[in-house]
């Protein structure tokens, strides 16, 4: 083998006859020093060629190469919750795409400030991830890769409800910048970076808004009073629904917006009969 440094080229001469269709695996045990900038995945600048008389192959991009960077990058990240209810246990779905290849043993660290955790401290694992809480009061989840994850591929990790992670009691605004993801990959570490896409979770300060009735007598017509303080902004045109199982509407009159007080806050009031 010969090293040509004008364009960083490795040249080798075959010592044996290689048959057409024969697979060749090559391991060059040499002290190569990678570019100080690393190399992106599937780098078109990495090429292979041969001057074989039976068929010359001009410089051709190698079909696959791992992503190895000085500092890694998450090109995409997203969180989803199920159920998305403030103060409740939830399953968390993390989606991400990295520009570097992740190898078994790589750790991702997901920080969820404002969340809370239950008593379940035992780790859980899937075929691809080992999931465990970091010690401490804050909710910090460590995700250890159990298999190789190629660069520029969408990866999904499900953190199950049984871990006991609860959404904040006051809900969450969309795309909170203090929900972060970090990675210790040797092919390109990523410091704490904000999750790019996370949903809003609404709630009421009272958690369960109180309700009362003007005539608290079973089977009689009554006014209804409800107090609520939303933690999130409510825009014009957004709808509220209140479930009142086994209630019926007094048939003596139509329900109109004039029945709402104070006026000018809500409109388009209607009664919907659901299956009791």
């Amino acid at each position: 083998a010969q090293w040509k440094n004008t364009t960083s080229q490795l040249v080798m001469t075959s010592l044996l006859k290689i048959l057409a269709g024969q697979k060749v695996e090559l391991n060059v045990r040499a002290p190569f020093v990678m570019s100080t900038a690393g190399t992106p995945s599937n780098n078109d600048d990495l090429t292979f060629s041969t001057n074989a008389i039976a068929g010359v192959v001009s410089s051709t991009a190698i079909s696959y190469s791992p992503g190895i960077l000085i500092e890694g990058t998450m090109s995409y990240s997203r969180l989803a919750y199920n159920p998305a209810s403030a103060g409740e246990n939830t399953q968390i779905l993390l989606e991400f795409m990295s520009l570097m290849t992740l190898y078994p043993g790589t750790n991702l660290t997901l920080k969820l400030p404002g969340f809370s955790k239950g008593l379940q401290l035992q780790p859980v694992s899937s075929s691809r991830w080992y999931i465990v809480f970091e010690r401490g009061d804050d909710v910090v989840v460590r995700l250890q890769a159990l298999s190789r994850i190629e660069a520029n591929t969408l990866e999904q990790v499900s953190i199950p409800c049984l871990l006991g992670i609860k959404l904040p009691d006051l809900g969450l605004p969309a795309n909170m910048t203090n929900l972060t993801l970090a990675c210790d990959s040797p092919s390109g570490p990523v410091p704490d970076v904000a999750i790019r896409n996370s949903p809003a979770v609404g709630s009421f300060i009272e958690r369960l808004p109180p309700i009362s009735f003007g005539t608290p007598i079973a089977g009689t017509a009554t006014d209804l009073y409800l107090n609520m303080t939303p933690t999130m902004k409510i825009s014009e045109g957004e709808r509220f629904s209140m479930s009142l199982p086994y209630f019926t509407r007094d048939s003596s009159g139509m329900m109109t917006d004039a029945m709402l007080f104070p006026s000018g806050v809500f409109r388009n009031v209607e009664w919907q009969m659901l299956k009791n």
Side-chain angles (χ1 to χ4, degrees):
Q2 179 184 359
W3 182 260
K4 291 186 177 181
N5 202 31
T6 55
T7 58
S8 299
Q9 186 175 22
L10 180 68
V11 180
M12 298 163 288
T13 301
S14 174
L15 296 178
L16 301 173
K17 181 184 291 185
I18 299 173
L19 301 176
Q22 179 181 346
K23 184 176 181 179
V24 178
E25 293 185 0
L26 177 66
N27 182 357
V28 183
R29 296 181 179 179
F32 292 109
V33 178
M34 188 168 291
S35 162
T36 56
T39 176
S41 66
N42 303 329
N43 188 351
D44 290 340
D45 292 334
L46 302 179
T47 62
F48 198 80
S49 63
T50 178
N51 64 354
I53 295 175
V56 173
V57 177
S58 58
S59 182
T60 303
I62 291 174
S63 62
Y64 166 78
S65 63
I68 303 171
L69 306 174
I70 296 297
E71 184 172 302
T73 302
M74 294 293 176
S75 60
Y76 173 80
S77 56
R78 172 179 174 267
L79 287 177
Y81 315 117
N82 182 27
S85 299
E88 299 293 334
N89 275 15
T90 188
Q91 175 190 20
I92 298 176
L93 176 67
L94 169 66
E95 294 182 336
F96 69 91
M97 185 182 295
S98 70
L99 296 185
M100 63 286 181
T101 301
L102 304 183
Y103 296 92
T106 296
N107 292 295
L108 299 183
T109 303
L110 177 63
K111 295 182 179 178
L112 303 170
F115 287 59
S116 58
K117 56 187 176 183
L119 300 177
Q120 167 65 27
L121 299 178
Q122 295 300 315
V124 296
S125 62
S126 64
S127 60
R128 295 172 65 83
W129 293 95
Y130 178 83
I131 305 170
V132 65
F133 281 129
E134 295 282 2
R135 293 187 180 275
D137 295 331
D138 295 331
V139 177
V140 180
V141 183
R142 179 165 55 87
L143 309 156
Q144 186 177 86
L146 300 178
S147 60
R148 178 171 168 151
I149 299 166
E150 303 298 346
N152 296 310
T153 58
L154 182 64
E155 178 69 10
Q156 295 184 331
V157 188
S158 177
I159 303 171
C161 264
L162 64 85
L163 271 182
I165 298 178
K166 292 184 178 182
L167 288 163
D169 287 339
L170 298 183
L172 292 165
N175 304 325
M176 279 192 68
T177 56
N178 64 348
L179 304 179
T180 63
L181 185 66
C183 177
D184 67 359
S185 172
S187 57
V190 179
D192 287 323
V193 292
I195 299 289
R196 295 192 178 188
N197 187 322
S198 60
V201 178
S203 68
F204 298 99
I205 289 178
E206 301 87 354
R207 184 66 188 284
L208 297 175
I211 190 173
S212 60
F213 304 100
T215 307
I217 300 174
T220 63
T222 181
D223 295 336
L224 180 150
Y225 302 93
L226 177 70
N227 295 314
M228 59 182 178
T229 309
T231 61
M232 64 290 183
K233 181 180 73 173
I234 298 170
S235 299
E236 182 180 356
E238 294 179 335
R239 300 278 282 169
F240 282 80
S241 297
M242 187 185 310
S243 178
L244 299 168
Y246 302 105
F247 279 56
T248 57
R249 184 177 67 81
D250 183 2
S251 59
S252 62
M254 295 294 294
M255 184 164 284
T256 67
D257 291 353
M259 297 177 177
L260 295 173
F261 182 83
S263 61
V265 177
F266 293 100
R267 58 183 172 84
N268 296 340
V269 63
E270 60 178 311
W271 180 263
Q272 297 176 346
M273 286 300 296
L274 304 177
K275 197 172 188 179
N276 289 324

